[in-house]
Amino acid sequence: MFGKKSCSGEKVDETAVEAETAREPQAGAAPIQVPKPVVHSAAAKAEKAEQYYSLKKEIFSALIATIDVAALSNMEGEQARNEIGAIINDIVAAKKAGISLAEQNELLSDICNDILGYGPLEPLLARDDIADIMVNGASHVFIEVGGKVQETGVRFRDNEQLLNICQRIVSQVGRRVDESSPICDARLADGSRVNVIAPPLAIDGPSLTIRKFKKEKLKLDQLVRFGSISPEGAEILKIIGRVRCNVLISGGTGSGKTTLLNCLTGYIDPGERIITCEDAAELQLQQPHVVRLETRPPNIEGQGEITMRALVKNCLRMRPERIIVGEVRGPEAFDLLQAMNTGHDGSMGTLHANSPREAISRIEAMITMGGHSLPAKAIREMLVSSVDVIVQAARLRDGSRRITHITEVLGMEGDVVTTQDLFVYDIQGEDEKGNLIGRHRSTGIGRPAFWDRARYYGEEARLAAALDAAEMKVAA
Ligand SMILES: Nc1ncnc2c1ncn2[C@@H]1O[C@H](COP(=O)(O)OP(=O)(O)O)[C@@H](O)[C@H]1O
Ligand SMILES: [Mg+2]
C-alpha cells in the first residue's frame, strides 16, 4: 500500500498555493502538502461544488476503467501520482471539460487521496488544529476546532467510498467493518482513535469519528495561559500530583480529561514505577520507569479480547508504585479503587461525569454493574478511603475548556459521601461575542484534607503559599 505521504510531491505544493487564493482562509491551519478542501460556507458555492463533484465522479470512473490499480499499488508514491496525473490529463482533454489548471490540479490531488490515502479526509488529517473529525455519511463532515464544532465542505463521492475508506482504516488493525460486524474501533498510524459504525446500524450511511492524536500535549502552564485554570489552581494541581494523592479526573467527552491527566503525571517523581492502562495509548509520561499497557478488542471471530479490568488486575502483580488508568468506564473501577487503597497511592484515572458528585455515583454504578454484590454503603466507604481528589474538567458552551472544580473527598455522613471544594470556576456573564466571562475562585479552605500528606512530602509551605495567594485574589 501507499503511505499517506504519497501525494506530497513538490508539484502539489505549487497548486496548494495557487488554489489557496480561491479558498476561505483557515485560521491556524498547519502547513500541509496537499491542497485543503474548499470550505463552503455560502449557499452560493453549493452549485459550484455540485459541478465539481459530478465532474470528479465522471473522471474518477474513467480513470478506474483505464488504470491498473494493482500495478499502481506496487509503485512509489511519486510515480503513482505521476501516472494518475498523466491519465487525468488525457481524460480532461478528451472530455473537453474546460477547467482551469488550478482546478485540474485540485482534482488530481483529490483523486490521489482517494486512491492512495484516506480520500477527502487527508487534508483534515493533516491539520493540527483539529481535535475531532466527525463524518455522518458521505456529505456531512464536521470538525471541532478550538472547542467549536463546524461543518466543512468536505464530501465523499458516496457512502460506498466512505465505507471503503473506513475499511482501509480498520484493516490496518486487522479488523473488518461491514453489515455483519458494523461496529469497529481502530487507530490510525499516528495514534488517532477511530470509531466506525456502519449501516444498517447507522441509518444515513457510515459514521466515522476520529479523535485526532496530538503529538504536542498541552502543558499545565499552557492551560493557565488559556485560562483553563488559574496559576494558583495549577500550583495546587502540581502539589496534588507530586504528593501522591489518589485522583479521579471527571469530565464530559472532549472536555480535556486525558490532557489534564497527562499534565498531572508530569509532577510524579522520576524514581517511581508507573504502570499505565489505556484503550489506546495517549498518555506521554516523561519518567524513565514506565510500563505502558493497552487493552485489546476482540478479533474478527470475537475472541482474544483483553479488557481494562484484566489489565488493571494484572498491574497489581507488577509491583507498581502508581497505576494510571486512561479511562475508567466499567468494572475496573473496583480494581482501581482497591489499588488506591492498598498502597498504590498516587494512582489516577479519568471518568465520564459532569460534576464531582456525579463522578462519585458513576463509580458506584460501575462497580454495581460489574457484578459486585456489595451494599451501596460499602462501596461508598471504599471510595472514601481510596479517592482523595476529584478534578472536574468541562467544555463550556462557548467552546472553552476549563477546570471547574478541585474537590476533596472527605468522608461519610450517614450514607452520604461528603466532599469539599478547594477551587471552583464561577461563570459571571458573557461578552458581546458570546464568550463566557468567569473566574477561578478559592473557596477559602485553609487546610485541605491532604495537608498531612503535603507535609509528609515537604510541600506544606508551597501548599500554604498557593492557598494564600488564591485567597488574596478572591479578597481583592
Ligand atoms: N484546557 C484546554 N484548552 C484548550 N484545548 C484543550 C484543553 N484541554 C484539552 N484540549 C484539547 O481538547 C481535545 C480533547 O482533549 P482530551 O484531553 O483528549 O479530552 P477527553 O479525554 O476529555 O475526551 C484535544 O484536542 C486537546 O488538545
Ligand atoms: Mg480521553
Side-chain angles (χ1 to χ4, degrees):
M1 272 315 289
F2 291 88
K4 287 205 295 167
K5 292 213 179 77
S6 52
C7 298
S8 58
E10 263 172 37
K11 225 169 142 200
V12 188
D13 273 340
E14 288 166 27
T15 65
V17 175
E18 237 177 82
E20 193 69 295
T21 50
R23 299 198 167 96
E24 292 178 4
Q26 289 170 329
I32 55 169
Q33 310 294 303
V34 289
K36 292 170 213 156
V38 188
V39 177
H40 307 278
S41 54
K45 290 182 187 166
E47 198 189 331
K48 190 150 182 279
E50 206 53 61
Q51 282 169 6
Y52 177 78
Y53 280 104
S54 74
L55 177 66
K56 186 177 149 194
K57 207 164 169 176
E58 228 176 285
I59 292 184
F60 193 83
S61 315
L63 176 74
I64 292 297
T66 323
I67 214 165
D68 180 353
V69 179
L72 206 63
S73 63
N74 291 323
M75 289 177 200
E76 282 294 309
E78 187 64 13
Q79 198 190 348
R81 195 179 170 281
N82 290 338
E83 190 84 358
I84 296 173
I87 298 175
I88 289 184
N89 270 338
D90 291 349
I91 298 173
V92 169
K95 278 194 187 311
K96 301 197 172 60
I99 55 173
S100 72
L101 190 63
E103 281 170 320
Q104 188 169 329
N105 277 323
E106 183 177 342
L107 235 141
L108 171 60
S109 109
D110 258 13
I111 291 178
C112 276
N113 284 343
D114 285 0
I115 297 183
L116 308 172
Y118 296 132
L121 288 178
E122 287 281 345
L124 300 180
L125 290 170
R127 274 174 59 182
D128 228 16
D129 57 328
I130 297 177
D132 295 272
I133 304 172
M134 294 149 277
V135 182
N136 316 343
S139 31
H140 298 284
V141 180
F142 294 82
I143 55 176
E144 197 230 82
V145 178
K148 294 222 165 93
V149 175
Q150 63 198 63
E151 184 160 11
T152 67
V154 175
R155 285 170 45 173
F156 293 78
R157 214 166 42 248
D158 46 32
N159 281 337
E160 198 187 328
Q161 185 202 12
L162 173 56
L163 191 62
N164 280 339
I165 288 169
C166 293
Q167 191 65 62
R168 191 174 298 159
I169 292 173
V170 305
S171 64
Q172 288 173 351
V173 294
R175 315 256 351 245
R176 188 182 65 202
V177 55
D178 53 26
E179 271 194 24
S180 61
S181 65
I183 297 184
C184 190
D185 281 318
R187 210 150 31 116
L188 299 181
D190 71 355
S192 298
R193 286 191 302 179
V194 179
N195 175 271
V196 179
I197 178 158
L201 305 188
I203 297 163
D204 301 317
S207 168
L208 169 71
T209 317
I210 302 178
R211 160 61 52 85
K212 291 214 25 212
F213 183 81
K214 283 226 167 90
K215 265 182 235 80
E216 295 300 317
K217 287 279 185 288
L218 294 167
K219 300 276 163 17
L220 207 48
D221 57 345
Q222 281 168 298
L223 299 196
V224 171
R225 226 171 313 131
F226 296 161
S228 296
I229 180 80
S230 64
E232 298 77 23
E235 180 75 0
I236 289 169
L237 285 181
K238 289 178 193 173
I239 298 169
I240 286 171
R242 157 101 180 87
V243 306
R244 309 193 65 150
C245 287
N246 288 316
V247 182
L248 289 180
I249 295 173
S250 153
T253 309
S255 58
K257 301 181 295 293
T258 306
T259 304
L260 198 51
L261 180 60
N262 200 53
C263 289
L264 276 185
T265 60
Y267 302 93
I268 296 176
D269 195 89
E272 296 181 35
R273 174 170 167 86
I274 311 165
I275 304 185
T276 66
C277 305
E278 294 175 89
D279 283 322
E282 284 185 275
L283 297 171
Q284 294 170 344
L285 276 75
Q286 304 305 317
Q287 290 75 3
H289 196 155
V290 178
V291 183
R292 300 193 302 151
L293 306 177
E294 216 177 61
T295 59
R296 187 171 70 187
N299 63 12
I300 295 178
E301 286 79 40
Q303 277 153 3
E305 179 178 17
I306 304 293
T307 62
M308 186 60 92
R309 174 141 211 222
L311 282 191
V312 178
K313 269 183 164 167
N314 192 70
C315 267
L316 294 171
R317 305 188 201 118
M318 297 173 68
R319 199 199 166 276
E321 282 174 290
R322 299 211 199 204
I323 298 175
I324 313 284
V325 179
E327 199 162 330
V328 184
R329 50 171 132 229
E332 66 274 8
F334 180 84
D335 305 271
L336 178 62
L337 290 195
Q338 209 164 41
M340 289 175 163
N341 225 340
T342 51
H344 307 99
D345 291 358
S347 291
M348 301 175 187
T350 76
L351 83 165
H352 197 289
N354 295 319
S355 70
R357 272 265 146 232
E358 197 184 308
I360 292 173
S361 45
R362 283 278 300 140
I363 290 276
E364 198 181 313
M366 286 190 266
I367 292 176
T368 314
M369 286 191 295
H372 290 281
S373 53
L374 289 169
K377 189 163 182 195
I379 299 178
R380 284 176 208 163
E381 271 163 359
M382 185 176 171
L383 188 138
V384 163
S385 58
S386 30
V387 179
D388 298 306
V389 177
I390 300 176
V391 184
Q392 180 71 37
R395 189 161 74 90
L396 303 181
R397 63 173 191 272
D398 64 349
S400 63
R401 292 177 167 97
R402 311 258 182 216
I403 293 161
T404 59
H405 296 77
I406 303 177
T407 299
E408 285 191 289
V409 177
L410 292 184
M412 297 273 289
E413 250 167 45
D415 276 352
V416 182
V417 176
T418 53
T419 60
Q420 96 182 342
D421 295 337
L422 292 182
F423 246 83
V424 291
Y425 181 74
D426 292 328
I427 296 175
Q428 294 164 316
E430 208 173 286
D431 69 12
E432 62 283 354
K433 285 191 201 130
N435 295 321
L436 294 173
I437 302 168
R439 64 163 188 173
H440 286 92
R441 165 173 72 80
S442 148
T443 52
I445 306 279
R447 275 202 175 216
F450 67 87
W451 182 266
D452 286 340
R453 199 179 259 289
R455 191 162 62 195
Y456 179 74
Y457 284 95
E459 297 285 356
E460 90 211 84
R462 205 171 139 211
L463 180 57
L467 288 166
D468 275 352
E471 227 184 314
M472 300 246 291
K473 227 173 171 179
V474 175

